[in-house]
Amino acid sequence: MSITASIRKRPWLLLGMVAIGLLAFLVNPDSFEKMFGKNPNILGKVNGVEITRDEFNDQLSLLQQQSQGQPQQGLEEQAWQILVQSKLIEQQFDKMGLKITDEIFWNQLQFDPMFSKEQNPQNFDEKGNFKVAEIKKQIEELKNSGDVNQYNEWLKAKKAIQYRMMARQLFANVTTGITANKKEAAELMKQRDEVADIDFVKVDYVAFAAKNPVKVTTEDLANYIKKHPVMFKSEAARNLGIVYFPAKPSAADDALALKEINKLYNEGVDNGNGLESFKNTPNDSMFVELNSEAQIKYSFVSDQEIPQEAQAFVKGASVGQFFGPYKSGDKYYVTKLVGKSSATMPKHILFAYKGAMRADEKQTRTKEEAKKLADSIGALVKADPMKFNEYVQMSDEPRAAERGGMLSWILDNDNNYAKPFGDWVKGNAKGAVGVVETDFGYHIIVNENKMPVYKIANLAKDIRASKETENKVYTEANTFIQSVQGKSFNDFANGAKKKNFNFQNPKSIKRFQGQIQGLGTDKDEEILAWAFNKEREKGETNIFTTGNGDYIVVYLNGKQEAGIADPESVREQVEPIVRNQLLAKKISEKITATKATNLDAIAKVFGTTKQSSQVSLFSPFVGGAMEAKVAGAAFGVKKGKISKPVEGATGVFVVTQKAVKLNKQPGDAKQIMQAMQQQGAQMFSQSLMKSLQDNAKIEDYRIEVWDKTSQAQ
């Protein structure tokens, strides 16, 4: 059987199509342990259970296949977190005495996303029964095929499936006891239906702070963190000062690029037979291929693929006309309209039959059966186009399901497709559905889109920074780093701001976050490795050069090792909360000191007004924000009395209850009980996972192992 046919028959084989490769290198673990004291193949431990490099690479490989296009660095951290959680689930699973036997594995496989009916309907027969015997046979054939790599990929996938099965069983068991009774439902319905009419005075934190500012000290932050240690459990982090020196083209560089493109457009270049320009060339495609720096040089494209400045031109121009030179982004262009046409994007489902061109050698369907199947499903898709997505899983075209049956654009003059197929596509409108026979079988075709397209020849020149510009930036960056070496972070920051340099201060970057937010260069990983080197000291600086010739000056402003977060590293997160607490204390003390017996007197002291509102415990919206404490006070204070100061989320409130009335909402106790039970189970599962992670002993050796293995290479 061919590889393509094998994959089409066994879509789960696609899990093995991406090579691991990442972080893999040949080392001698024994020699590393002697030299460095850590086994480079052990990346960490979860409650004493090792996370190996092989496990990490396997998980990373699976994520790569599922998240194509996502930066590798972001996936590395995701792979680590999945492994940590998997270990925790497995440990809890074992403590409860649960097991994943071979019988349980095969019985539960149909519920895993990799094999489920929603994702892979071909794994189920017409009656909806899971084809477990067939799947087992395919895996056994793979095991005996001699294709060790593919079989190993299945074993990796099987391990991930087993973790997911453990998680489902674990959470199903622990949430079985989550119930809701009639009394709880009645209380919730009461909270939902009872509405309090209130008068209140709100002393807004922002308004009060404008006249009574407070300063949040490092000690204030530390005290808050001390009261909430679990919230601020942190992995190792660094506080960096970054100044970015981009090698941007100067006005002179811009003028040079314009001069160069004008020369190519009007005067030309010597091709050995005299001067040839874009205007007079007999071969547009060859000229732009040799001289253009555009991404699209010569092609049929939609108007959206043409530089925005030229889009109106191509829509109204005649074939052969030129537009430019014009500037778009970091290039100068001259665009020639070479042709106009229209294009259709179809999608299709193929039903092959025995003897059809390129049919699978094990295909048993007859031509008559293929036609009957295509006609019946085609009628269903015509009646309900959304059903196409359901039936595309049955297509006999390799990897059709992954692409949703989509094909590339077909031009009106494109004859590369089978003639009946191409003729139908070109002759039918957008949204049309039809069944067409070709040598490959019967196709259900849907014209997904139609639009005009334009054939263009794009001559483009990059606006590049000249050597003089690069030297100027180099001098600027080196002068700056020399001026701040050995000085304080304030000197570093103020010096950058004074010169209007591009300054950033990421206060809590992690070693394996991949990219530095706000920077995003090819040197981000190198900067992270530098900052987390154990020999690095606070106050050190370094300069990095990107592949684009830009310069980055970095200052190590702080080192946070794993544990409770440094107060200053989380200032942006904690400061608003602590500031409001300090303001609330001042406001409450001032309210208490007035000894006021009514709301008007309190409002007068703070220069505000008394307001009225309706509030329920179920929907505590008061004074423009959700204020749960205020809602509680509204129902807790006696009618006609004023409450004590309530320190809310947006201000301090004083409340008077005028009346409580019933506003009956739809929904009976049974429905409420079901909703409470579902929500309770979901919240408990999330809380359990967080609790397991918060209370686990997680040892992360990655920083040490990564640094040492990279030094040894």
Side-chain angles (χ1 to χ4, degrees):
M1 184 184 293
S2 69
I3 291 175
T4 302
S6 176
I7 290 171
R8 187 175 65 210
K9 184 173 177 62
R10 306 164 184 155
W12 44 266
L13 282 179
L14 289 168
L15 285 167
M17 297 305 288
V18 177
I20 296 175
L22 295 163
L23 310 173
F25 45 83
L26 295 174
V27 296
N28 183 324
D30 294 333
S31 64
F32 260 96
E33 284 195 75
K34 289 174 184 175
M35 291 171 64
F36 303 123
K38 288 286 185 194
N39 185 338
N41 293 320
I42 306 300
L43 301 185
K45 292 181 181 178
V46 179
N47 292 326
V49 178
E50 294 174 347
I51 293 179
T52 68
R53 184 181 293 275
D54 286 342
E55 285 180 300
F56 180 83
N57 285 342
D58 289 347
Q59 183 61 57
L60 188 57
S61 176
L62 291 173
L63 286 176
Q64 284 180 306
Q65 295 163 57
Q66 297 164 10
S67 311
Q68 292 186 16
Q70 187 173 333
Q72 171 191 320
Q73 294 87 349
L75 293 178
E76 288 176 357
E77 182 59 22
Q78 195 176 336
W80 171 260
Q81 293 299 335
I82 288 173
L83 283 173
V84 168
Q85 292 183 4
S86 297
K87 296 291 183 187
L88 290 169
I89 287 170
E90 186 175 26
Q91 291 166 14
Q92 200 66 22
F93 191 80
D94 291 341
K95 282 181 183 178
M96 294 178 69
L98 301 171
K99 299 288 181 186
I100 297 288
T101 64
D102 197 53
E103 183 182 2
I104 290 173
F105 178 83
W106 292 109
N107 284 338
Q108 294 293 311
L109 188 61
Q110 60 184 301
F111 304 112
D112 190 82
M114 269 182 61
F115 289 85
S116 68
K117 191 173 183 180
E118 292 76 15
Q119 299 295 325
N120 294 285
Q122 70 273 13
N123 292 333
F124 295 78
D125 62 22
E126 295 79 3
K127 295 180 180 179
N129 298 312
F130 183 53
K131 300 177 183 177
V132 64
E134 187 176 319
I135 299 294
K136 282 185 178 181
K137 183 181 177 183
Q138 291 173 5
I139 293 171
E140 190 63 28
E141 287 174 354
L142 182 64
K143 181 180 179 180
N144 299 327
S145 69
D147 191 339
V148 177
N149 290 334
Q150 286 287 354
Y151 185 66
N152 284 339
E153 289 301 314
W154 157 247
L155 294 178
K156 295 171 194 173
K158 183 180 180 181
K159 186 67 177 174
I161 293 169
Q162 287 173 325
Y163 278 134
R164 291 195 288 270
M165 287 181 178
M166 287 181 197
R168 281 199 301 273
Q169 283 196 40
L170 174 63
F171 293 131
N173 275 277
V174 298
T175 58
T176 301
I178 305 297
T179 60
N181 58 42
K182 289 182 180 179
K183 190 171 182 180
E184 290 172 316
E187 179 60 31
L188 188 64
M189 291 170 71
K190 179 184 176 185
Q191 292 179 10
R192 180 197 65 183
D193 297 341
E194 281 189 345
V195 178
D197 280 327
I198 62 170
D199 287 336
F200 68 92
V201 170
K202 173 185 177 181
V203 184
D204 185 81
Y205 292 137
V206 175
F208 185 80
K211 296 180 180 178
N212 306 271
V214 295
K215 184 179 180 181
V216 179
T217 66
T218 302
E219 185 181 0
D220 293 328
L221 299 174
N223 288 336
Y224 182 85
I225 292 169
K226 202 176 291 183
K227 292 177 183 176
H228 308 85
V230 175
M231 288 174 59
F232 297 96
K233 193 175 178 181
S234 174
E235 59 187 282
R238 297 293 182 264
N239 182 326
L240 298 183
I242 297 173
V243 181
Y244 180 51
F245 295 86
K248 290 181 179 177
S250 65
D253 300 332
D254 188 290
L256 180 62
L258 179 58
K259 182 180 178 181
E260 288 176 346
I261 199 167
N262 266 314
K263 183 177 180 181
L264 286 169
Y265 177 36
N266 295 302
E267 300 172 33
V269 291
D270 191 347
N271 63 4
N273 296 309
L275 291 176
E276 180 184 6
S277 70
F278 193 31
K279 273 185 177 178
N280 65 27
T281 179
N283 191 332
D284 296 322
S285 62
M286 183 60 70
F287 189 88
V288 295
E289 184 62 36
L290 293 173
N291 297 291
S292 180
E293 293 169 330
Q295 186 175 3
I296 298 173
K297 298 180 181 181
Y298 191 84
S299 179
F300 268 108
V301 292
S302 69
D303 59 345
Q304 295 302 308
E305 295 172 275
I306 297 167
Q308 187 176 2
E309 294 79 0
Q311 289 176 10
F313 158 74
V314 296
K315 292 176 183 178
S318 301
V319 171
Q321 282 188 292
F322 292 86
F323 179 67
Y326 62 94
K327 185 177 179 180
S328 182
D330 57 358
K331 299 179 189 292
Y332 274 106
Y333 291 85
V334 176
T335 298
K336 181 181 180 180
L337 182 62
V338 179
K340 291 185 177 183
S341 185
S342 62
T344 308
M345 179 178 281
K347 58 184 180 181
H348 80 132
I349 302 170
L350 171 65
F351 293 105
Y353 53 83
K354 188 174 183 178
M357 189 179 292
R358 297 182 190 170
D360 190 309
E361 60 190 33
K362 291 190 177 181
Q363 180 62 256
T364 59
R365 187 187 294 132
T366 66
K367 183 175 181 179
E368 291 72 24
E369 288 171 338
K371 183 178 188 308
K372 185 177 179 181
L373 189 60
D375 286 339
S376 61
I377 293 178
L380 293 173
V381 172
K382 195 167 187 176
D384 181 5
M386 293 301 294
K387 286 192 175 292
F388 182 94
N389 297 328
E390 179 181 339
Y391 290 110
V392 73
Q393 309 285 341
M394 299 171 64
S395 181
D396 289 315
E397 183 196 13
R399 304 189 72 171
E402 292 178 42
R403 304 191 316 272
M406 299 297 295
L407 297 171
S408 56
W409 290 96
I410 300 177
L411 297 171
D412 284 354
N413 60 351
D414 186 348
N415 297 313
N416 291 324
Y417 284 77
K419 194 172 187 308
F421 190 102
D423 288 349
W424 188 93
V425 168
K426 297 168 193 174
N428 285 275
K430 176 182 176 181
V433 180
V435 177
V436 174
E437 179 188 0
T438 71
D439 292 339
F440 300 94
Y442 288 90
H443 307 258
I444 299 170
I445 310 174
V446 178
N447 275 350
E448 185 74 5
N449 202 0
K450 273 186 178 285
M451 68 177 181
V453 290
Y454 307 91
K455 191 171 190 178
I456 58 166
N458 252 347
L459 178 66
K461 272 292 168 188
D462 290 329
I463 306 169
R464 294 190 181 92
S466 63
K467 198 67 180 174
E468 290 78 9
T469 300
E470 290 179 354
N471 288 339
K472 181 182 176 183
V473 176
Y474 170 79
T475 301
E476 202 169 45
N478 275 276
T479 301
F480 176 73
I481 193 171
Q482 289 170 22
S483 71
V484 296
Q485 281 177 342
K487 294 190 176 179
S488 70
F489 181 70
N490 282 339
D491 292 332
F492 180 88
N494 292 334
K497 292 172 184 176
K498 187 176 180 181
K499 294 280 189 177
N500 290 320
F501 293 152
N502 185 336
F503 169 75
Q504 301 167 51
N505 179 209
K507 293 183 174 64
S508 185
I509 63 169
K510 307 296 189 293
R511 173 62 182 91
F512 300 104
Q513 69 182 50
Q515 288 194 323
I516 299 171
Q517 189 175 4
L519 197 59
T521 71
D522 59 354
K523 288 296 176 181
D524 286 21
E525 266 292 302
E526 194 175 322
I527 292 169
L528 290 172
W530 173 85
F532 279 86
N533 187 303
K534 284 193 172 181
E535 297 176 1
R536 200 71 52 228
E537 296 293 337
K538 181 178 177 180
E540 286 191 46
T541 57
N542 201 358
I543 188 167
F544 299 84
T545 310
T546 72
N548 298 327
D550 302 336
Y551 294 91
I552 305 165
V553 176
V554 183
Y555 186 106
L556 181 57
N557 185 40
K559 296 171 67 174
Q560 165 71 52
E561 302 308 335
I564 302 300
D566 176 76
E568 287 301 327
S569 71
V570 292
R571 177 175 281 276
E572 290 181 10
Q573 174 189 350
V574 180
E575 186 173 33
I577 301 169
V578 176
R579 180 187 291 111
N580 285 350
Q581 289 181 346
L582 295 174
L583 290 167
K585 185 179 179 182
K586 282 191 169 188
I587 295 167
S588 297
E589 288 173 351
K590 192 170 182 179
I591 291 172
T592 303
T594 64
K595 297 182 180 180
T597 57
N598 59 71
L599 296 180
D600 290 316
I602 296 171
K604 185 176 181 181
V605 170
F606 291 94
T608 185
T609 57
K610 181 175 72 175
Q611 302 178 62
S612 298
S613 183
Q614 287 189 331
V615 63
S616 74
L617 292 172
F618 202 73
S619 179
F621 192 80
V622 188
M626 298 300 287
E627 295 285 1
K629 290 183 180 179
V630 179
F635 285 90
V637 68
K638 289 184 179 180
K639 183 178 178 180
K641 301 292 184 180
I642 65 170
S643 70
K644 292 180 179 180
V646 180
E647 297 179 6
T650 58
V652 175
F653 293 75
V654 182
V655 179
T656 297
Q657 183 203 103
K658 295 189 290 185
V660 174
K661 55 190 179 184
L662 197 65
N663 183 18
K664 189 68 178 172
Q665 302 292 313
D668 58 26
K670 187 177 180 181
Q671 291 174 318
I672 297 293
M673 284 170 61
Q674 289 175 343
M676 289 175 69
Q677 193 162 335
Q678 290 173 359
Q679 186 180 22
Q682 185 179 4
M683 290 175 65
F684 186 84
S685 296
Q686 293 171 350
S687 299
L688 173 62
M689 193 68 248
K690 186 176 186 306
S691 177
L692 290 175
Q693 198 152 354
D694 286 342
N695 292 287
K697 184 181 180 183
I698 299 171
E699 300 170 76
D700 187 349
Y701 306 150
R702 289 177 297 163
I703 293 175
E704 188 172 350
V705 170
W706 253 247
D707 288 344
K708 288 180 177 177
T709 51
S710 62
Q711 290 166 14
Q713 284 181 291

